[in-house]
């Protein structure tokens, strides 16, 4: 685990090359545990840790996609899609509440359906993202280099 974390930090903002599943998932586990521990101590420490790890998390995710012979641009598309879905869910929620408070049941129902649809699509994207990161990498060299 420590080797994977050391590798990711040594390639802090390196978006080229490949990252193995172990490298990605051990770093994910490290950031999860360290973030939780820092949250228990102080929210400011946890926030600083999260901000400091944005680039290494993106870099290792891009290298992980490269290991499966996919472009790193896919991670940006997934993040953008999830942000847009989050906004859609928020707007649907507000519209549903406004409709319910205003006595317009069709607006309230539409807002509720929008929230459910948005959450479902968000979950589908999340499962797809996990699949991409868990997928076995190419055994031999690919267009992004030799296996990690």
């Amino acid at each position: 685990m420590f080797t994977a974390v050391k590798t990711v930090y040594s390639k802090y903002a390196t978006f080229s090359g490949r990252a193995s599943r172990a490298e990605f998932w051990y770093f994910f586990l490290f950031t999860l545990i360290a973030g939780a521990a820092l949250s228990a101590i102080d929210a400011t420490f946890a926030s600083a840790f999260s901000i400091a790890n944005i680039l290494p998390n993106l870099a290792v995710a891009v290298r992980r996609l490269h290991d499966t012979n996919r472009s790193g641009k896919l991670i940006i598309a997934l993040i953008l899609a999830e942000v847009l879905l989050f906004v859609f869910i928020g707007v649907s929620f507000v519209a549903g509440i406004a409709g319910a408070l205003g006595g317009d049941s069709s607006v309230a129902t539409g807002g509720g359906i929008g929230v459910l649809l948005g959450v479902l699509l968000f979950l589908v994207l999340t499962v797809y993202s996990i699949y991409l990161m868990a997928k076995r990498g190419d055994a031999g060299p690919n267009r992004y280099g030799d296996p990690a």
Side-chain angles (χ1 to χ4, degrees):
M1 176 171 165
F2 296 111
T3 304
V5 172
K6 182 180 171 188
T7 301
V8 172
Y9 282 129
S10 71
K11 298 178 180 180
Y12 191 87
T14 303
F15 292 87
S16 60
R18 295 166 64 172
S20 67
R21 285 188 292 183
E23 182 180 328
F24 176 83
W25 288 109
Y26 280 132
F27 186 71
F28 177 83
L29 181 63
F30 166 76
T31 56
L32 190 70
I33 292 169
L38 288 170
S39 291
I41 297 169
D42 184 19
T44 306
F45 291 145
S47 296
F49 178 77
S50 295
I51 291 168
N53 279 291
I54 290 172
L55 268 179
N57 275 304
L58 278 175
V60 75
V62 166
R63 291 195 313 272
R64 181 73 206 114
L65 287 173
H66 288 174
D67 196 43
T68 62
N69 207 24
R70 288 178 172 76
S71 171
K73 295 174 185 172
L74 181 57
I75 199 76
I76 301 302
L78 290 169
I79 291 169
L80 181 61
E82 289 187 349
V83 167
L84 291 174
L85 277 172
F86 185 74
V87 169
F88 176 77
I89 291 167
V91 169
S92 296
F93 180 78
V94 169
I97 295 295
L101 293 175
D104 190 344
S105 63
S106 62
V107 173
T109 301
I113 291 171
V115 169
L116 289 175
L117 181 63
V119 168
L120 179 65
L121 289 173
F122 190 86
L123 289 173
V124 167
L125 275 177
T126 301
V127 168
Y128 180 62
S129 297
I130 292 169
Y131 162 75
L132 288 174
M133 297 302 148
K135 186 178 181 331
R136 183 182 309 269
D138 291 350
N142 66 20
R143 63 185 167 153
Y144 297 103
D146 292 327

